[in-house]
Amino acid sequence: KGRSSYACLNLISKHFIHESTRCYPFQWKTPSSFVLPGPIWFDNLHCTGKERTVAQCPSNGIGISDCKHTEDVGVVCSDKRIPGFKFVNFLPNHVESLDIQVEDVRIRAILSSYRKRVPVTEGYVEIKDGGRWKQICNADWTPHNSRVICGMFGFPGRRNIWKYRPKISAEMFARRRKPTYWDFSVNCTGAEAHLSSCKLGQQTEAVTNGTCVKGLPVVVSCVPGRAFAPTPMTGFRKAFRQEQPLVRLRGGAIVGEGRVEVLKNGEWGTICDDSWNLGSATVVCRELGYGTAKEALNGGRLGQGMGPVHMNEVQCSGFEKSITECPFNKETVDCSHEEDAGVRCNIPAMGFQERLRLSGGRSPYEGRVEVLTERNGSLVWGTVCSEGWGIMEAMVVCRQLGLGFAKNAFQETWYWAGQVSADAVVMSGVRCSGTEMTLSHCLHHGENLQCPRGGGRHAAGVSCSDTAPDLVLNPQVVEQTTYMEDRPMFMLQCAYEEKCLASTSNSVPANSYRRLLRFSSQIHNNGQSDFKPKANRESWVWHDCHRHYHSMEVFTLYDLYSLNGTKVAEGHKASFCLEDSECDEGIEKKYECANFGDQGITVGCWDTYRHDIDCQWVDITDVSPGDYIFRIVINPNYEVPESDYSNNIVKCRCRYDGHRIWMYNCHNGGSLNEETEQQFPGLISNQVTHR
């Protein structure tokens, strides 16, 4: 009937309607249990289909209706998108009533030998219109246009093809076929994120020989970011990290997306989403070696950060080399991490997804991992040896396939009937740091396969998820709650049984004392899904002394190091009770340990391990006075997948004078893999050579 309630209208206009999405209306009688409160804003809507919002459609008038909520309408949107895009901006004197929509745009390599190269960085710019690929006349083409085209295809910059590739240009004209030209010219400023945002000009003038006025088709040459640029010796780099990065992305499921964080005064912080748009997001993407931005995300959609909010109301022109060069408002008192800005960037088409697949699963998000590799001169599909297979390897698989984050890593896949012809093992010894773009970039045995158990039912498998939790320890709580306690051994019997004391406690009398460094841990879940222990409830281990269940035997590690990096004391904490201690405003607690309840940490909540509970300490009885570094690691064995492991470590400077102890300069440090790569920088290049 064309009627809609306010609640439905909000959902439709904000999330479902897109100019390239087909929508199919339906009518139903709303069950009384689904009736929504509030007014009915529209009745007798009559849309042409070209309106940008239903508010522009003719109706009885806002709030004028004789309907009840049992007559609320809805839509079901097709997941099939209408190909291509429309031009909405036009040069002056252009007939704006024209409905100009094209089906696709591409860069087609000039020479056939170049078309096999990945990625394609230079070639003709072609528009698909009316089912045919057409070239663009270069009569009014500008370098700004080329910059936009390159950005769309994941490249941060362009270069002058006539200056750098004279040989290609000569061969191009020698071998070109008679082109078919598109009817319009394009005028970009260079700051646009997509060709559809450029202004469309007048129809181009054609001459009798079928060429444009200047007789040349448009050719562009793009500069790939370092992560996607092939080198003669090592191929594609495993991961690209700037020497001194000022900007980084965190919490994204795939390459080129994440929450934007900037470094200021030695501390990482986020950007408030006020005035956040595609222009500013594109500056971030180009700075990191990607193309233009596909989306400028707001509302902490890729997880909430920790620490300060460094920038607010960022206003970029689109030509800045770094987001730190853009004008912004330093006042961030009205911003919270619920408003953290994020980006999704265009990245080059590398073809990585074509060399990997999941087979036999119940959904596209799970299955046995099968790899396409070359054997005896032909390409064959095969399995991956599951020995040593874990979450980090599964993360890389899910990222390579564009399926989000790893949910589980499986070392047996007999319950998934994969392709029988692909049972043979073609890859073994896989060990990933988790940052690789493809599984082939991880360390592995190469052609020297070693897999005693074989493939088939023992092949590696994964399940993937669009979302993942993200645990972050609050460093200020650690710093503010630290103190020292001398406690007699007879009061530490349970802690002794759980191995929470130093090894020297094995041979001391019961009336002796242990000196304990105590502190509280406040662990937040800033991700997009709940953090739950890997083991199900039936597998939890009962500890009779403390009278509770352990859902994870090692949940956190506590270590004290000398300034030269030598470990002088250590401790650990099992997750005897993962629960929601407190939550952000508006979020209800979901997990509670009482009465053998479910364990976990809800998104937006935190779990507090108080300083006065057993094992929430480091035994420093044998430690000499001095200056030290204290480190806490959450989820150290990566038992539970997270969207970001880089914030799982907190480091503090620690001073102990023999009578007192205190922490200072506590901060989130990084993941264990990042620390390893910092201590052994050659590991990155070494991993590239093992392909």
Side-chain angles (χ1 to χ4, degrees):
K1 295 182 180 178
R3 297 164 180 162
S4 176
S5 72
Y6 174 76
C8 290
L9 175 60
N10 260 348
L11 287 173
I12 294 168
S13 62
K14 287 186 178 180
H15 301 289
F16 297 129
I17 293 294
H18 187 279
E19 62 184 21
S20 297
T21 303
R22 291 187 177 95
C23 267
Y24 301 98
F26 67 92
Q27 293 178 234
W28 72 331
K29 185 173 178 63
T30 309
S32 58
S33 59
F34 294 161
V35 169
L36 301 171
I40 296 173
W41 290 121
F42 291 99
D43 187 8
N44 289 323
L45 283 171
H46 296 282
C47 302
T48 65
K50 296 183 178 181
E51 295 84 358
R52 288 188 168 273
T53 170
V54 292
Q56 297 176 353
C57 300
S59 68
N60 288 354
I62 297 179
I64 302 175
S65 172
D66 60 354
C67 293
K68 303 182 293 295
H69 280 300
T70 53
E71 300 175 89
D72 289 345
V73 301
V75 297
V76 174
C77 297
S78 170
D79 57 359
K80 294 182 179 179
R81 303 180 67 81
I82 299 173
F85 52 88
K86 289 183 179 180
F87 283 90
V88 295
N89 297 317
F90 302 91
L91 289 174
N93 301 322
H94 192 280
V95 182
E96 299 188 19
S97 59
L98 291 177
D99 187 10
I100 307 299
Q101 176 161 335
V102 298
E103 298 167 40
D104 204 355
V105 59
R106 71 180 181 184
I107 299 176
R108 183 171 68 87
I110 299 165
L111 303 179
S112 58
S113 58
Y114 278 61
R115 292 171 192 168
K116 297 180 181 180
R117 294 188 179 184
V118 177
V120 176
T121 59
E122 65 183 28
Y124 297 114
V125 178
E126 297 187 336
I127 298 286
K128 191 174 186 181
D129 186 16
R132 297 180 60 190
W133 286 103
K134 301 177 181 180
Q135 295 171 347
I136 301 177
C137 176
N138 70 349
D140 298 311
W141 193 260
T142 67
H144 289 322
N145 296 357
S146 297
R147 186 173 190 262
V148 174
I149 289 290
C150 289
M152 283 176 56
F153 288 93
F155 304 113
R158 52 160 292 277
R159 58 177 168 237
N160 189 332
I161 189 169
W162 311 112
K163 179 178 180 181
Y164 291 98
R165 303 304 298 270
K167 180 181 178 182
I168 295 298
S169 62
E171 292 179 340
M172 173 187 70
F173 296 121
R175 301 189 181 190
R176 71 184 183 198
R177 293 175 298 180
K178 184 177 180 180
T180 301
Y181 285 99
W182 192 45
D183 295 334
F184 298 92
S185 62
V186 179
N187 189 292
C188 305
T189 66
E192 296 88 352
H194 193 276
L195 186 65
S196 62
S197 299
C198 299
K199 292 182 178 180
L200 197 65
Q202 298 286 354
Q203 291 182 305
T204 56
E205 297 181 16
V207 294
T208 55
N209 63 359
T211 61
C212 64
V213 174
K214 293 188 178 181
L216 298 175
V218 167
V219 176
V220 297
S221 181
C222 304
V223 180
R226 286 177 58 187
F228 304 98
T231 59
M233 297 298 295
T234 62
F236 297 101
R237 290 177 58 87
K238 171 185 74 73
F240 166 53
R241 182 190 299 150
Q242 294 171 306
E243 295 299 326
Q244 292 181 336
L246 297 178
V247 180
R248 67 184 186 186
L249 302 182
R250 286 292 182 264
I254 60 176
V255 175
E257 75 170 26
R259 178 181 62 253
V260 182
E261 297 185 353
V262 294
L263 184 64
K264 180 180 178 182
N265 299 326
E267 186 175 16
W268 287 101
T270 60
I271 296 178
C272 188
D273 63 11
D274 293 350
S275 303
W276 186 247
N277 57 29
L278 275 178
S280 300
T282 291
V283 172
V284 170
C285 292
R286 290 189 189 273
E287 179 179 1
L288 294 174
Y290 308 119
T292 53
K294 289 190 291 188
E295 289 184 80
L297 304 172
N298 53 23
R301 284 177 55 188
L302 295 179
Q304 298 181 21
M306 293 285 285
V309 178
H310 282 324
M311 304 174 75
N312 184 24
E313 297 178 354
V314 180
Q315 301 283 347
C316 299
S317 68
F319 291 94
E320 294 86 354
K321 293 185 179 299
S322 172
I323 192 71
T324 58
E325 298 176 3
C326 300
F328 67 95
N329 186 354
K330 297 181 180 180
E331 295 296 328
T332 60
V333 291
D334 294 330
C335 293
S336 69
H337 287 297
E338 294 180 354
E339 301 172 87
D340 285 344
V343 296
R344 286 197 175 101
C345 305
N346 287 308
I347 63 173
M350 306 297 293
F352 291 149
Q353 296 182 356
E354 300 171 5
R355 305 189 69 87
L356 194 72
R357 70 186 183 190
L358 301 184
S359 180
R362 297 163 297 180
S363 74
Y365 282 78
E366 67 178 19
R368 186 177 75 176
V369 179
E370 295 180 357
V371 180
L372 185 64
T373 187
E374 186 174 347
R375 288 288 183 269
N376 300 323
S378 60
L379 293 175
V380 296
W381 287 97
T383 57
V384 179
C385 184
S386 63
E387 186 175 348
W389 186 260
I391 283 295
M392 286 304 182
E393 290 71 34
M395 281 286 188
V396 176
V397 169
C398 294
R399 179 184 301 118
Q400 182 175 347
L401 292 174
L403 298 178
F405 306 99
K407 188 176 182 180
N408 285 295
F410 300 97
Q411 295 189 354
E412 290 188 1
T413 52
W414 53 267
Y415 36 80
W416 287 330
Q419 298 288 335
V420 177
S421 60
D423 278 351
V425 173
V426 297
M427 198 174 191
S428 66
V430 180
R431 184 163 66 89
C432 304
S433 68
T435 62
E436 297 87 352
M437 288 190 288
T438 75
L439 200 62
S440 63
H441 292 170
C442 301
L443 280 170
H444 59 89
H445 291 153
E447 296 182 358
N448 302 315
L449 300 175
Q450 301 175 27
C451 191
R453 296 202 305 168
R457 60 183 293 150
H458 297 294
V462 301
S463 63
C464 307
S465 174
D466 290 327
T467 59
D470 181 22
L471 296 189
V472 184
L473 186 68
N474 190 327
Q476 284 71 38
V477 171
V478 177
E479 186 171 324
Q480 295 165 3
T481 58
T482 299
Y483 65 98
M484 189 175 67
E485 178 192 16
D486 291 334
R487 197 168 182 85
M489 273 296 297
F490 67 82
M491 297 180 65
L492 297 170
Q493 188 59 37
C494 287
Y496 175 77
E497 292 182 9
E498 294 191 14
K499 299 180 181 180
C500 295
L501 300 174
S503 58
T504 55
S505 63
N506 296 335
S507 57
V508 298
N511 60 352
S512 63
Y513 282 78
R514 306 300 296 179
R515 178 157 289 185
L516 307 176
L517 166 59
R518 284 186 173 273
F519 53 91
S520 295
S521 295
Q522 188 182 94
I523 301 167
H524 295 245
N525 182 3
N526 289 351
Q528 298 169 283
S529 63
D530 296 350
F531 182 94
K532 302 189 70 173
K534 178 181 179 180
N536 55 38
R537 188 186 308 193
E538 292 74 21
S539 304
W540 296 350
V541 179
W542 173 258
H543 283 255
D544 194 57
C545 189
H546 277 136
R547 309 295 296 175
H548 59 234
Y549 286 93
H550 284 184
S551 56
M552 294 174 64
E553 280 300 315
V554 180
F555 179 54
T556 52
L557 294 179
Y558 310 131
D559 298 309
L560 195 66
Y561 293 87
S562 64
L563 297 184
N564 66 8
T566 303
K567 186 186 294 187
V568 297
E570 64 182 17
H572 76 275
K573 185 68 181 173
S575 63
F576 74 86
C577 180
L578 279 174
E579 66 177 0
D580 298 326
S581 302
E582 299 290 339
C583 297
D584 290 331
E585 185 178 354
I587 298 177
E588 295 184 2
K589 298 180 182 179
K590 189 184 300 183
Y591 300 101
E592 187 175 4
C593 297
N595 301 319
F596 196 38
D598 283 341
Q599 293 194 25
I601 307 176
T602 306
V603 175
C605 299
W606 57 91
D607 187 11
T608 301
Y609 282 83
R610 287 174 49 88
H611 54 81
D612 53 359
I613 63 176
D614 265 5
C615 297
Q616 189 61 34
W617 64 56
V618 174
D619 185 349
I620 60 171
T621 306
D622 307 311
V623 176
S624 303
D627 290 320
Y628 297 94
I629 296 174
F630 181 57
R631 189 184 75 165
I632 303 176
V633 185
I634 313 170
N635 192 18
N637 298 329
Y638 308 116
E639 288 187 33
V640 179
E642 297 185 46
S643 62
D644 185 4
Y645 288 109
S646 69
N647 50 21
N648 281 30
I649 293 179
V650 162
K651 297 177 184 176
C652 302
R653 293 298 300 269
C654 177
R655 177 162 295 177
Y656 173 45
D657 63 6
H659 305 284
R660 297 173 301 165
I661 194 166
W662 60 94
M663 305 278 191
Y664 60 98
N665 291 344
C666 291
H667 62 280
N668 293 100
S671 69
L672 288 177
N673 284 335
E674 283 186 340
E675 288 200 334
T676 301
E677 290 174 358
Q678 289 169 3
Q679 295 171 8
F680 306 100
L683 180 61
I684 293 182
S685 58
N686 288 342
Q687 286 181 324
V688 176
T689 60
H690 291 72
R691 301 179 63 81

